[in-house]
PDB file of all heavy atoms in Angstrom:
ATOM      1  N   HIS A   1      -5.266   5.758  25.174  1.00 58.00           N
ATOM      2  CA  HIS A   1      -5.202   5.185  23.786  1.00 58.00           C
ATOM      3  C   HIS A   1      -6.621   4.925  23.307  1.00 58.00           C
ATOM      4  O   HIS A   1      -7.393   4.187  23.956  1.00 58.00           O
ATOM      5  CB  HIS A   1      -4.442   3.816  23.907  1.00 58.00           C
ATOM      6  CG  HIS A   1      -3.029   3.945  24.298  1.00 58.00           C
ATOM      7  ND1 HIS A   1      -2.087   4.485  23.513  1.00 58.00           N
ATOM      8  CD2 HIS A   1      -2.409   3.668  25.505  1.00 58.00           C
ATOM      9  CE1 HIS A   1      -0.925   4.501  24.162  1.00 58.00           C
ATOM     10  NE2 HIS A   1      -1.116   4.071  25.370  1.00 58.00           N
ATOM     11  N   ASP A   2      -6.924   5.482  22.181  1.00 58.00           N
ATOM     12  CA  ASP A   2      -8.180   5.290  21.537  1.00 58.00           C
ATOM     13  C   ASP A   2      -8.084   4.081  20.610  1.00 58.00           C
ATOM     14  O   ASP A   2      -7.566   4.207  19.516  1.00 58.00           O
ATOM     15  CB  ASP A   2      -8.572   6.540  20.824  1.00 58.00           C
ATOM     16  CG  ASP A   2     -10.017   6.421  20.130  1.00 58.00           C
ATOM     17  OD1 ASP A   2     -10.612   5.360  20.263  1.00 58.00           O
ATOM     18  OD2 ASP A   2     -10.442   7.335  19.475  1.00 58.00           O
ATOM     19  N   ARG A   3      -8.549   2.969  20.990  1.00 65.00           N
ATOM     20  CA  ARG A   3      -8.487   1.730  20.206  1.00 65.00           C
ATOM     21  C   ARG A   3      -9.380   1.750  18.979  1.00 65.00           C
ATOM     22  O   ARG A   3      -9.291   0.882  18.138  1.00 65.00           O
ATOM     23  CB  ARG A   3      -8.772   0.506  21.080  1.00 65.00           C
ATOM     24  CG  ARG A   3      -7.853   0.376  22.240  1.00 65.00           C
ATOM     25  CD  ARG A   3      -6.697  -0.528  21.927  1.00 65.00           C
ATOM     26  NE  ARG A   3      -5.896  -0.728  23.141  1.00 65.00           N
ATOM     27  CZ  ARG A   3      -4.581  -0.715  23.046  1.00 65.00           C
ATOM     28  NH1 ARG A   3      -4.007  -0.609  21.973  1.00 65.00           N
ATOM     29  NH2 ARG A   3      -3.878  -0.880  24.147  1.00 65.00           N
ATOM     30  N   THR A   4     -10.261   2.716  18.851  1.00 68.00           N
ATOM     31  CA  THR A   4     -11.226   2.752  17.751  1.00 68.00           C
ATOM     32  C   THR A   4     -10.749   3.827  16.717  1.00 68.00           C
ATOM     33  O   THR A   4     -11.457   4.076  15.791  1.00 68.00           O
ATOM     34  CB  THR A   4     -12.621   3.116  18.234  1.00 68.00           C
ATOM     35  OG1 THR A   4     -12.603   4.448  18.845  1.00 68.00           O
ATOM     36  CG2 THR A   4     -13.143   2.080  19.163  1.00 68.00           C
ATOM     37  N   ALA A   5      -9.573   4.382  16.866  1.00 72.00           N
ATOM     38  CA  ALA A   5      -9.109   5.369  15.909  1.00 72.00           C
ATOM     39  C   ALA A   5      -8.936   4.726  14.472  1.00 72.00           C
ATOM     40  O   ALA A   5      -8.489   3.569  14.393  1.00 72.00           O
ATOM     41  CB  ALA A   5      -7.690   5.852  16.349  1.00 72.00           C
ATOM     42  N   PRO A   6      -9.390   5.444  13.467  1.00 84.00           N
ATOM     43  CA  PRO A   6      -9.290   4.862  12.146  1.00 84.00           C
ATOM     44  C   PRO A   6      -7.837   4.665  11.672  1.00 84.00           C
ATOM     45  O   PRO A   6      -6.933   5.407  12.119  1.00 84.00           O
ATOM     46  CB  PRO A   6      -9.973   5.919  11.214  1.00 84.00           C
ATOM     47  CG  PRO A   6      -9.926   7.172  12.041  1.00 84.00           C
ATOM     48  CD  PRO A   6      -9.892   6.798  13.443  1.00 84.00           C
ATOM     49  N   GLU A   7      -7.626   3.668  10.833  1.00 88.00           N
ATOM     50  CA  GLU A   7      -6.317   3.383  10.284  1.00 88.00           C
ATOM     51  C   GLU A   7      -5.962   4.507   9.276  1.00 88.00           C
ATOM     52  O   GLU A   7      -6.762   5.049   8.580  1.00 88.00           O
ATOM     53  CB  GLU A   7      -6.330   2.031   9.567  1.00 88.00           C
ATOM     54  CG  GLU A   7      -5.062   1.593   8.979  1.00 88.00           C
ATOM     55  CD  GLU A   7      -5.143   0.193   8.421  1.00 88.00           C
ATOM     56  OE1 GLU A   7      -5.914  -0.020   7.485  1.00 88.00           O
ATOM     57  OE2 GLU A   7      -4.421  -0.681   8.944  1.00 88.00           O
ATOM     58  N   HIS A   8      -4.665   4.870   9.326  1.00 94.00           N
ATOM     59  CA  HIS A   8      -4.154   5.929   8.385  1.00 94.00           C
ATOM     60  C   HIS A   8      -4.356   5.374   6.948  1.00 94.00           C
ATOM     61  O   HIS A   8      -4.164   4.232   6.691  1.00 94.00           O
ATOM     62  CB  HIS A   8      -2.711   6.198   8.636  1.00 94.00           C
ATOM     63  CG  HIS A   8      -2.237   7.454   7.963  1.00 94.00           C
ATOM     64  ND1 HIS A   8      -2.033   7.483   6.601  1.00 94.00           N
ATOM     65  CD2 HIS A   8      -2.004   8.686   8.390  1.00 94.00           C
ATOM     66  CE1 HIS A   8      -1.589   8.686   6.249  1.00 94.00           C
ATOM     67  NE2 HIS A   8      -1.558   9.421   7.370  1.00 94.00           N
ATOM     68  N   PRO A   9      -4.762   6.220   6.031  1.00 96.00           N
ATOM     69  CA  PRO A   9      -5.015   5.824   4.628  1.00 96.00           C
ATOM     70  C   PRO A   9      -3.740   5.156   4.015  1.00 96.00           C
ATOM     71  O   PRO A   9      -3.876   4.246   3.169  1.00 96.00           O
ATOM     72  CB  PRO A   9      -5.348   7.095   3.849  1.00 96.00           C
ATOM     73  CG  PRO A   9      -5.847   8.006   4.943  1.00 96.00           C
ATOM     74  CD  PRO A   9      -5.162   7.621   6.194  1.00 96.00           C
ATOM     75  N   HIS A  10      -2.561   5.584   4.413  1.00 97.00           N
ATOM     76  CA  HIS A  10      -1.348   4.925   3.875  1.00 97.00           C
ATOM     77  C   HIS A  10      -1.188   3.441   4.408  1.00 97.00           C
ATOM     78  O   HIS A  10      -0.668   2.642   3.664  1.00 97.00           O
ATOM     79  CB  HIS A  10      -0.108   5.734   4.162  1.00 97.00           C
ATOM     80  CG  HIS A  10      -0.089   7.015   3.338  1.00 97.00           C
ATOM     81  ND1 HIS A  10       0.581   8.124   3.792  1.00 97.00           N
ATOM     82  CD2 HIS A  10      -0.532   7.297   2.063  1.00 97.00           C
ATOM     83  CE1 HIS A  10       0.459   9.103   2.818  1.00 97.00           C
ATOM     84  NE2 HIS A  10      -0.200   8.617   1.846  1.00 97.00           N
ATOM     85  N   ALA A  11      -1.661   3.193   5.614  1.00 97.00           N
ATOM     86  CA  ALA A  11      -1.612   1.840   6.091  1.00 97.00           C
ATOM     87  C   ALA A  11      -2.537   0.951   5.267  1.00 97.00           C
ATOM     88  O   ALA A  11      -2.210  -0.189   4.913  1.00 97.00           O
ATOM     89  CB  ALA A  11      -1.936   1.779   7.622  1.00 97.00           C
ATOM     90  N   ALA A  12      -3.737   1.493   4.951  1.00 95.00           N
ATOM     91  CA  ALA A  12      -4.684   0.762   4.147  1.00 95.00           C
ATOM     92  C   ALA A  12      -4.093   0.579   2.743  1.00 95.00           C
ATOM     93  O   ALA A  12      -4.284  -0.520   2.115  1.00 95.00           O
ATOM     94  CB  ALA A  12      -6.004   1.530   4.030  1.00 95.00           C
ATOM     95  N   LEU A  13      -3.404   1.597   2.215  1.00 96.00           N
ATOM     96  CA  LEU A  13      -2.714   1.487   0.864  1.00 96.00           C
ATOM     97  C   LEU A  13      -1.761   0.326   0.928  1.00 96.00           C
ATOM     98  O   LEU A  13      -1.680  -0.494  -0.037  1.00 96.00           O
ATOM     99  CB  LEU A  13      -2.091   2.810   0.572  1.00 96.00           C
ATOM    100  CG  LEU A  13      -1.311   2.878  -0.763  1.00 96.00           C
ATOM    101  CD1 LEU A  13      -1.381   4.347  -1.290  1.00 96.00           C
ATOM    102  CD2 LEU A  13       0.109   2.507  -0.587  1.00 96.00           C
ATOM    103  N   LEU A  14      -0.903   0.202   2.010  1.00 97.00           N
ATOM    104  CA  LEU A  14       0.014  -0.873   2.058  1.00 97.00           C
ATOM    105  C   LEU A  14      -0.649  -2.230   2.164  1.00 97.00           C
ATOM    106  O   LEU A  14      -0.228  -3.164   1.507  1.00 97.00           O
ATOM    107  CB  LEU A  14       0.937  -0.607   3.276  1.00 97.00           C
ATOM    108  CG  LEU A  14       1.883   0.559   3.171  1.00 97.00           C
ATOM    109  CD1 LEU A  14       2.684   0.714   4.466  1.00 97.00           C
ATOM    110  CD2 LEU A  14       2.707   0.527   1.966  1.00 97.00           C
ATOM    111  N   ARG A  15      -1.693  -2.331   2.955  1.00 96.00           N
ATOM    112  CA  ARG A  15      -2.394  -3.593   3.059  1.00 96.00           C
ATOM    113  C   ARG A  15      -2.992  -4.012   1.677  1.00 96.00           C
ATOM    114  O   ARG A  15      -2.864  -5.174   1.269  1.00 96.00           O
ATOM    115  CB  ARG A  15      -3.528  -3.493   4.065  1.00 96.00           C
ATOM    116  CG  ARG A  15      -3.025  -3.427   5.527  1.00 96.00           C
ATOM    117  CD  ARG A  15      -4.231  -3.407   6.525  1.00 96.00           C
ATOM    118  NE  ARG A  15      -3.733  -3.003   7.793  1.00 96.00           N
ATOM    119  CZ  ARG A  15      -3.071  -3.744   8.636  1.00 96.00           C
ATOM    120  NH1 ARG A  15      -2.639  -4.978   8.313  1.00 96.00           N
ATOM    121  NH2 ARG A  15      -2.717  -3.276   9.833  1.00 96.00           N
ATOM    122  N   ASP A  16      -3.536  -3.037   0.947  1.00 96.00           N
ATOM    123  CA  ASP A  16      -4.013  -3.323  -0.364  1.00 96.00           C
ATOM    124  C   ASP A  16      -2.925  -3.756  -1.295  1.00 96.00           C
ATOM    125  O   ASP A  16      -3.096  -4.706  -2.119  1.00 96.00           O
ATOM    126  CB  ASP A  16      -4.711  -2.089  -0.969  1.00 96.00           C
ATOM    127  CG  ASP A  16      -6.001  -1.710  -0.278  1.00 96.00           C
ATOM    128  OD1 ASP A  16      -6.549  -2.574   0.436  1.00 96.00           O
ATOM    129  OD2 ASP A  16      -6.476  -0.567  -0.579  1.00 96.00           O
ATOM    130  N   GLY A  17      -1.756  -3.182  -1.181  1.00 96.00           N
ATOM    131  CA  GLY A  17      -0.569  -3.585  -2.006  1.00 96.00           C
ATOM    132  C   GLY A  17      -0.138  -5.015  -1.706  1.00 96.00           C
ATOM    133  O   GLY A  17       0.157  -5.761  -2.671  1.00 96.00           O
ATOM    134  N   TYR A  18      -0.075  -5.399  -0.478  1.00 97.00           N
ATOM    135  CA  TYR A  18       0.319  -6.743  -0.140  1.00 97.00           C
ATOM    136  C   TYR A  18      -0.714  -7.772  -0.588  1.00 97.00           C
ATOM    137  O   TYR A  18      -0.331  -8.872  -1.013  1.00 97.00           O
ATOM    138  CB  TYR A  18       0.619  -6.886   1.359  1.00 97.00           C
ATOM    139  CG  TYR A  18       1.994  -6.343   1.728  1.00 97.00           C
ATOM    140  CD1 TYR A  18       2.104  -5.071   2.320  1.00 97.00           C
ATOM    141  CD2 TYR A  18       3.159  -7.050   1.457  1.00 97.00           C
ATOM    142  CE1 TYR A  18       3.357  -4.547   2.644  1.00 97.00           C
ATOM    143  CE2 TYR A  18       4.378  -6.499   1.831  1.00 97.00           C
ATOM    144  CZ  TYR A  18       4.475  -5.278   2.331  1.00 97.00           C
ATOM    145  OH  TYR A  18       5.679  -4.741   2.706  1.00 97.00           O
ATOM    146  N   THR A  19      -1.962  -7.433  -0.478  1.00 97.00           N
ATOM    147  CA  THR A  19      -3.063  -8.286  -0.952  1.00 97.00           C
ATOM    148  C   THR A  19      -2.921  -8.487  -2.488  1.00 97.00           C
ATOM    149  O   THR A  19      -3.051  -9.601  -2.996  1.00 97.00           O
ATOM    150  CB  THR A  19      -4.448  -7.755  -0.583  1.00 97.00           C
ATOM    151  OG1 THR A  19      -4.547  -7.674   0.810  1.00 97.00           O
ATOM    152  CG2 THR A  19      -5.550  -8.596  -1.159  1.00 97.00           C
ATOM    153  N   ALA A  20      -2.670  -7.363  -3.193  1.00 96.00           N
ATOM    154  CA  ALA A  20      -2.482  -7.384  -4.676  1.00 96.00           C
ATOM    155  C   ALA A  20      -1.238  -8.235  -5.033  1.00 96.00           C
ATOM    156  O   ALA A  20      -1.327  -9.075  -5.951  1.00 96.00           O
ATOM    157  CB  ALA A  20      -2.388  -5.978  -5.236  1.00 96.00           C
ATOM    158  N   PHE A  21      -0.198  -8.103  -4.237  1.00 96.00           N
ATOM    159  CA  PHE A  21       1.045  -8.869  -4.520  1.00 96.00           C
ATOM    160  C   PHE A  21       0.750 -10.369  -4.375  1.00 96.00           C
ATOM    161  O   PHE A  21       1.131 -11.177  -5.190  1.00 96.00           O
ATOM    162  CB  PHE A  21       2.120  -8.408  -3.556  1.00 96.00           C
ATOM    163  CG  PHE A  21       3.487  -8.998  -3.718  1.00 96.00           C
ATOM    164  CD1 PHE A  21       4.369  -8.488  -4.633  1.00 96.00           C
ATOM    165  CD2 PHE A  21       3.847 -10.187  -3.084  1.00 96.00           C
ATOM    166  CE1 PHE A  21       5.571  -9.072  -4.843  1.00 96.00           C
ATOM    167  CE2 PHE A  21       5.077 -10.806  -3.299  1.00 96.00           C
ATOM    168  CZ  PHE A  21       5.920 -10.275  -4.211  1.00 96.00           C
ATOM    169  N   ALA A  22      -0.005 -10.740  -3.279  1.00 94.00           N
ATOM    170  CA  ALA A  22      -0.321 -12.153  -3.078  1.00 94.00           C
ATOM    171  C   ALA A  22      -1.095 -12.685  -4.211  1.00 94.00           C
ATOM    172  O   ALA A  22      -1.033 -13.922  -4.575  1.00 94.00           O
ATOM    173  CB  ALA A  22      -1.050 -12.325  -1.763  1.00 94.00           C
ATOM    174  N   LYS A  23      -1.971 -11.907  -4.858  1.00 94.00           N
ATOM    175  CA  LYS A  23      -2.768 -12.339  -5.964  1.00 94.00           C
ATOM    176  C   LYS A  23      -2.121 -12.215  -7.323  1.00 94.00           C
ATOM    177  O   LYS A  23      -2.623 -12.570  -8.374  1.00 94.00           O
ATOM    178  CB  LYS A  23      -4.085 -11.503  -5.980  1.00 94.00           C
ATOM    179  CG  LYS A  23      -4.979 -11.739  -4.775  1.00 94.00           C
ATOM    180  CD  LYS A  23      -6.196 -10.816  -4.925  1.00 94.00           C
ATOM    181  CE  LYS A  23      -7.105 -10.997  -3.735  1.00 94.00           C
ATOM    182  NZ  LYS A  23      -8.281 -10.126  -3.802  1.00 94.00           N
ATOM    183  N   GLY A  24      -0.897 -11.538  -7.352  1.00 92.00           N
ATOM    184  CA  GLY A  24      -0.274 -11.291  -8.612  1.00 92.00           C
ATOM    185  C   GLY A  24      -0.870 -10.152  -9.445  1.00 92.00           C
ATOM    186  O   GLY A  24      -0.760 -10.077 -10.588  1.00 92.00           O
ATOM    187  N   ASP A  25      -1.629  -9.304  -8.724  1.00 95.00           N
ATOM    188  CA  ASP A  25      -2.296  -8.199  -9.385  1.00 95.00           C
ATOM    189  C   ASP A  25      -1.356  -6.971  -9.608  1.00 95.00           C
ATOM    190  O   ASP A  25      -1.383  -6.010  -8.858  1.00 95.00           O
ATOM    191  CB  ASP A  25      -3.522  -7.775  -8.549  1.00 95.00           C
ATOM    192  CG  ASP A  25      -4.422  -6.734  -9.218  1.00 95.00           C
ATOM    193  OD1 ASP A  25      -3.969  -6.150 -10.247  1.00 95.00           O
ATOM    194  OD2 ASP A  25      -5.495  -6.481  -8.687  1.00 95.00           O
ATOM    195  N   MET A  26      -0.588  -7.111 -10.660  1.00 94.00           N
ATOM    196  CA  MET A  26       0.424  -6.068 -10.934  1.00 94.00           C
ATOM    197  C   MET A  26      -0.186  -4.737 -11.344  1.00 94.00           C
ATOM    198  O   MET A  26       0.417  -3.662 -11.136  1.00 94.00           O
ATOM    199  CB  MET A  26       1.458  -6.543 -11.978  1.00 94.00           C
ATOM    200  CG  MET A  26       2.242  -7.748 -11.618  1.00 94.00           C
ATOM    201  SD  MET A  26       3.233  -7.387 -10.125  1.00 94.00           S
ATOM    202  CE  MET A  26       3.597  -8.994  -9.535  1.00 94.00           C
ATOM    203  N   GLU A  27      -1.366  -4.816 -11.920  1.00 96.00           N
ATOM    204  CA  GLU A  27      -2.066  -3.551 -12.287  1.00 96.00           C
ATOM    205  C   GLU A  27      -2.437  -2.718 -11.073  1.00 96.00           C
ATOM    206  O   GLU A  27      -2.207  -1.486 -11.090  1.00 96.00           O
ATOM    207  CB  GLU A  27      -3.378  -3.895 -13.103  1.00 96.00           C
ATOM    208  CG  GLU A  27      -4.036  -2.694 -13.671  1.00 96.00           C
ATOM    209  CD  GLU A  27      -5.216  -3.053 -14.554  1.00 96.00           C
ATOM    210  OE1 GLU A  27      -5.111  -4.024 -15.328  1.00 96.00           O
ATOM    211  OE2 GLU A  27      -6.270  -2.377 -14.413  1.00 96.00           O
ATOM    212  N   LEU A  28      -2.914  -3.360 -10.034  1.00 96.00           N
ATOM    213  CA  LEU A  28      -3.192  -2.602  -8.812  1.00 96.00           C
ATOM    214  C   LEU A  28      -1.919  -2.069  -8.181  1.00 96.00           C
ATOM    215  O   LEU A  28      -1.861  -0.939  -7.757  1.00 96.00           O
ATOM    216  CB  LEU A  28      -4.007  -3.435  -7.795  1.00 96.00           C
ATOM    217  CG  LEU A  28      -4.337  -2.725  -6.450  1.00 96.00           C
ATOM    218  CD1 LEU A  28      -5.089  -1.432  -6.704  1.00 96.00           C
ATOM    219  CD2 LEU A  28      -5.011  -3.629  -5.498  1.00 96.00           C
ATOM    220  N   ILE A  29      -0.899  -2.866  -8.060  1.00 97.00           N
ATOM    221  CA  ILE A  29       0.411  -2.448  -7.513  1.00 97.00           C
ATOM    222  C   ILE A  29       0.922  -1.266  -8.333  1.00 97.00           C
ATOM    223  O   ILE A  29       1.331  -0.316  -7.730  1.00 97.00           O
ATOM    224  CB  ILE A  29       1.400  -3.557  -7.481  1.00 97.00           C
ATOM    225  CG1 ILE A  29       0.989  -4.763  -6.559  1.00 97.00           C
ATOM    226  CG2 ILE A  29       2.755  -3.095  -7.108  1.00 97.00           C
ATOM    227  CD1 ILE A  29       1.828  -6.009  -6.649  1.00 97.00           C
ATOM    228  N   ARG A  30       0.798  -1.312  -9.639  1.00 97.00           N
ATOM    229  CA  ARG A  30       1.306  -0.217 -10.514  1.00 97.00           C
ATOM    230  C   ARG A  30       0.575   1.079 -10.128  1.00 97.00           C
ATOM    231  O   ARG A  30       1.202   2.149 -10.111  1.00 97.00           O
ATOM    232  CB  ARG A  30       1.113  -0.576 -11.951  1.00 97.00           C
ATOM    233  CG  ARG A  30       1.407   0.549 -12.977  1.00 97.00           C
ATOM    234  CD  ARG A  30       2.879   0.915 -12.878  1.00 97.00           C
ATOM    235  NE  ARG A  30       3.275   1.933 -13.791  1.00 97.00           N
ATOM    236  CZ  ARG A  30       3.267   3.274 -13.451  1.00 97.00           C
ATOM    237  NH1 ARG A  30       2.830   3.656 -12.301  1.00 97.00           N
ATOM    238  NH2 ARG A  30       3.620   4.161 -14.371  1.00 97.00           N
ATOM    239  N   SER A  31      -0.688   0.976  -9.797  1.00 97.00           N
ATOM    240  CA  SER A  31      -1.488   2.178  -9.530  1.00 97.00           C
ATOM    241  C   SER A  31      -1.047   2.812  -8.171  1.00 97.00           C
ATOM    242  O   SER A  31      -1.360   3.972  -7.921  1.00 97.00           O
ATOM    243  CB  SER A  31      -2.970   1.828  -9.448  1.00 97.00           C
ATOM    244  OG  SER A  31      -3.319   1.108  -8.306  1.00 97.00           O
ATOM    245  N   LEU A  32      -0.392   2.027  -7.317  1.00 97.00           N
ATOM    246  CA  LEU A  32       0.070   2.580  -6.028  1.00 97.00           C
ATOM    247  C   LEU A  32       1.450   3.220  -6.082  1.00 97.00           C
ATOM    248  O   LEU A  32       1.857   3.930  -5.132  1.00 97.00           O
ATOM    249  CB  LEU A  32       0.123   1.447  -5.006  1.00 97.00           C
ATOM    250  CG  LEU A  32      -1.174   0.624  -4.769  1.00 97.00           C
ATOM    251  CD1 LEU A  32      -0.944  -0.493  -3.746  1.00 97.00           C
ATOM    252  CD2 LEU A  32      -2.301   1.517  -4.320  1.00 97.00           C
ATOM    253  N   LEU A  33       2.192   3.047  -7.211  1.00 97.00           N
ATOM    254  CA  LEU A  33       3.545   3.492  -7.332  1.00 97.00           C
ATOM    255  C   LEU A  33       3.532   4.811  -8.001  1.00 97.00           C
ATOM    256  O   LEU A  33       2.858   5.024  -9.062  1.00 97.00           O
ATOM    257  CB  LEU A  33       4.359   2.532  -8.138  1.00 97.00           C
ATOM    258  CG  LEU A  33       4.417   1.083  -7.564  1.00 97.00           C
ATOM    259  CD1 LEU A  33       5.285   0.208  -8.584  1.00 97.00           C
ATOM    260  CD2 LEU A  33       5.107   1.070  -6.223  1.00 97.00           C
ATOM    261  N   ALA A  34       4.342   5.825  -7.489  1.00 98.00           N
ATOM    262  CA  ALA A  34       4.531   7.046  -8.163  1.00 98.00           C
ATOM    263  C   ALA A  34       5.406   6.875  -9.414  1.00 98.00           C
ATOM    264  O   ALA A  34       6.141   5.871  -9.494  1.00 98.00           O
ATOM    265  CB  ALA A  34       5.204   8.041  -7.177  1.00 98.00           C
ATOM    266  N   GLU A  35       5.346   7.787 -10.291  1.00 97.00           N
ATOM    267  CA  GLU A  35       6.163   7.700 -11.489  1.00 97.00           C
ATOM    268  C   GLU A  35       7.629   7.773 -11.129  1.00 97.00           C
ATOM    269  O   GLU A  35       8.480   7.145 -11.821  1.00 97.00           O
ATOM    270  CB  GLU A  35       5.851   8.831 -12.489  1.00 97.00           C
ATOM    271  CG  GLU A  35       4.472   8.675 -13.173  1.00 97.00           C
ATOM    272  CD  GLU A  35       4.358   7.342 -13.895  1.00 97.00           C
ATOM    273  OE1 GLU A  35       5.254   6.993 -14.654  1.00 97.00           O
ATOM    274  OE2 GLU A  35       3.322   6.672 -13.691  1.00 97.00           O
ATOM    275  N   ARG A  36       8.032   8.496 -10.164  1.00 96.00           N
ATOM    276  CA  ARG A  36       9.417   8.524  -9.712  1.00 96.00           C
ATOM    277  C   ARG A  36       9.577   7.703  -8.461  1.00 96.00           C
ATOM    278  O   ARG A  36       9.582   8.276  -7.327  1.00 96.00           O
ATOM    279  CB  ARG A  36       9.856   9.980  -9.428  1.00 96.00           C
ATOM    280  CG  ARG A  36       9.818  10.818 -10.697  1.00 96.00           C
ATOM    281  CD  ARG A  36      10.363  12.148 -10.522  1.00 96.00           C
ATOM    282  NE  ARG A  36      11.763  12.127 -10.042  1.00 96.00           N
ATOM    283  CZ  ARG A  36      12.402  13.041  -9.393  1.00 96.00           C
ATOM    284  NH1 ARG A  36      11.775  14.134  -9.032  1.00 96.00           N
ATOM    285  NH2 ARG A  36      13.617  12.895  -9.032  1.00 96.00           N
ATOM    286  N   VAL A  37       9.577   6.382  -8.645  1.00 98.00           N
ATOM    287  CA  VAL A  37       9.650   5.464  -7.499  1.00 98.00           C
ATOM    288  C   VAL A  37      11.024   4.796  -7.533  1.00 98.00           C
ATOM    289  O   VAL A  37      11.613   4.696  -8.568  1.00 98.00           O
ATOM    290  CB  VAL A  37       8.501   4.407  -7.511  1.00 98.00           C
ATOM    291  CG1 VAL A  37       8.663   3.525  -8.759  1.00 98.00           C
ATOM    292  CG2 VAL A  37       8.445   3.611  -6.299  1.00 98.00           C
ATOM    293  N   VAL A  38      11.475   4.338  -6.375  1.00 98.00           N
ATOM    294  CA  VAL A  38      12.652   3.510  -6.299  1.00 98.00           C
ATOM    295  C   VAL A  38      12.457   2.452  -5.245  1.00 98.00           C
ATOM    296  O   VAL A  38      11.875   2.732  -4.156  1.00 98.00           O
ATOM    297  CB  VAL A  38      13.959   4.337  -6.026  1.00 98.00           C
ATOM    298  CG1 VAL A  38      13.874   5.065  -4.633  1.00 98.00           C
ATOM    299  CG2 VAL A  38      15.172   3.434  -6.052  1.00 98.00           C
ATOM    300  N   HIS A  39      12.773   1.226  -5.556  1.00 98.00           N
ATOM    301  CA  HIS A  39      12.719   0.083  -4.658  1.00 98.00           C
ATOM    302  C   HIS A  39      14.198  -0.317  -4.400  1.00 98.00           C
ATOM    303  O   HIS A  39      14.819  -0.797  -5.400  1.00 98.00           O
ATOM    304  CB  HIS A  39      11.872  -1.077  -5.106  1.00 98.00           C
ATOM    305  CG  HIS A  39      11.665  -2.097  -4.058  1.00 98.00           C
ATOM    306  ND1 HIS A  39      10.514  -2.870  -4.033  1.00 98.00           N
ATOM    307  CD2 HIS A  39      12.392  -2.549  -3.036  1.00 98.00           C
ATOM    308  CE1 HIS A  39      10.605  -3.735  -3.057  1.00 98.00           C
ATOM    309  NE2 HIS A  39      11.723  -3.519  -2.415  1.00 98.00           N
ATOM    310  N   ARG A  40      14.676  -0.124  -3.156  1.00 98.00           N
ATOM    311  CA  ARG A  40      16.086  -0.440  -2.913  1.00 98.00           C
ATOM    312  C   ARG A  40      16.180  -1.776  -2.234  1.00 98.00           C
ATOM    313  O   ARG A  40      15.513  -1.973  -1.190  1.00 98.00           O
ATOM    314  CB  ARG A  40      16.673   0.652  -2.001  1.00 98.00           C
ATOM    315  CG  ARG A  40      16.691   2.043  -2.669  1.00 98.00           C
ATOM    316  CD  ARG A  40      17.268   3.084  -1.739  1.00 98.00           C
ATOM    317  NE  ARG A  40      17.023   4.432  -2.223  1.00 98.00           N
ATOM    318  CZ  ARG A  40      17.611   5.043  -3.283  1.00 98.00           C
ATOM    319  NH1 ARG A  40      18.539   4.409  -3.932  1.00 98.00           N
ATOM    320  NH2 ARG A  40      17.318   6.283  -3.648  1.00 98.00           N
TER     321      ARG A  40
END
């Protein structure tokens, strides 16, 4: 196990999304969503 492996970019994207959610930054969240998105 390589503990120094870089985080996948999608994991970083999710972390950024949760940080934006906590701040109420809907503009940043919007930039992470595809035009054809669905939240179930």
Side-chain angles (χ1 to χ4, degrees):
H1 297 286
D2 181 1
R3 302 264 183 222
T4 62
E7 182 174 64
H8 192 284
H10 288 150
L13 179 147
L14 294 178
R15 289 183 196 286
D16 290 348
Y18 282 100
T19 298
F21 186 86
K23 295 178 180 178
D25 186 347
M26 296 300 163
E27 187 174 318
L28 178 59
I29 294 171
R30 174 64 179 89
S31 75
L32 304 177
L33 302 175
E35 288 305 312
R36 294 186 62 202
V37 65
V38 60
H39 189 149
R40 301 180 192 283

